[in-house]
């Protein structure tokens, strides 16, 4: 699965080859056997080595894709795992905090979560998760 993850992040649409709106059967064709399934109240979460998919139980479709860890793809060829909000400001523009994640008002459908560190500094703490929804 990893070789397919070194691709671009498109807010509200896809990460690499994986697309929002796919049903679970379509997703399984691309995942192979290297994943875990976690059942939650309204969603099923599929967890790979550096990617997660949220599948809505009512519609059976992917509603969110998140990347983390060794994922090397980027948003707009500059922002990836390990980038900071200072990088986002410099290369992309304005960001806002919303419910413990960081969104881009000018690019709906993407958000960032920062690493939980003891010496946490909003602009300098590395991005740990990038999600499209």
């Amino acid at each position: 699965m990893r070789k397919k993850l070194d691709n671009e992040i498109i807010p509200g649409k896809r990460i690499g080859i994986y697309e929002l709106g796919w049903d679970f059967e379509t997703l399984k064709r691309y995942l192979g056997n290297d994943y875990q399934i976690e059942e939650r109240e309204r969603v099923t979460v599929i967890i790979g080595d550096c990617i997660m998919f949220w599948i809505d139980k009512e519609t059976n479709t992917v509603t969110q894709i998140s990347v983390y860890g060794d994922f090397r793809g980027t948003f707009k060829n500059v922002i990836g795992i390990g980038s900071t909000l200072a990088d986002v400001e410099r290369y992309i523009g304005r960001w806002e905090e919303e419910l413990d994640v960081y969104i881009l008002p000018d690019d709906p459908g993407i958000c960032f979560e920062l690493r939980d560190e003891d010496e946490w500094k909003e602009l300098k703490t590395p991005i740990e998760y990038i999600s499209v929804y």
Side-chain angles (χ1 to χ4, degrees):
M1 180 171 40
R2 184 178 304 276
K3 67 181 180 201
K4 298 175 184 171
L5 292 177
D6 298 331
N7 292 305
E8 69 181 326
I9 299 167
I10 308 294
K13 295 190 182 196
R14 65 182 176 85
I15 294 181
I17 64 166
Y18 300 104
E19 296 185 21
L20 295 172
W22 278 4
D23 62 32
F24 186 44
E25 292 305 313
T26 301
L27 179 61
K28 283 196 303 190
R29 281 188 239 142
Y30 291 90
L31 284 179
N33 296 320
D34 189 22
Y35 62 87
Q36 298 174 10
I37 297 176
E38 184 179 298
E39 295 294 340
R40 298 190 184 169
E41 187 175 329
R42 289 180 238 173
V43 296
T44 300
V45 181
I46 308 301
I47 304 167
D49 60 348
C50 59
I51 191 166
M52 293 187 288
F53 304 90
W54 278 256
I55 299 174
D56 182 276
K57 288 185 177 181
E58 281 187 34
T59 64
N60 194 39
T61 59
V62 175
T63 58
Q64 180 176 321
I65 305 169
S66 298
V67 290
Y68 57 94
D70 292 336
F71 177 78
R72 290 186 300 268
T74 57
F75 171 59
K76 294 193 176 182
N77 293 317
V78 290
I79 302 301
I81 301 301
S83 297
T84 64
L85 290 177
D87 297 328
V88 171
E89 274 185 10
R90 185 177 318 119
Y91 299 113
I92 307 298
R94 190 169 58 100
W95 54 268
E96 295 176 2
E97 183 179 1
E98 183 177 281
L99 301 173
D100 296 327
V101 299
Y102 297 85
I103 64 166
L104 304 176
D106 298 328
D107 291 289
I110 189 169
C111 66
F112 309 103
E113 292 179 55
L114 304 183
R115 185 179 304 149
D116 187 17
E117 297 183 334
D118 291 337
E119 302 264 338
W120 193 82
K121 293 182 177 136
E122 191 171 60
L123 285 174
K124 296 185 181 210
T125 298
I127 293 170
E128 185 171 33
Y129 293 92
I130 300 173
S131 299
V132 296
Y133 53 93

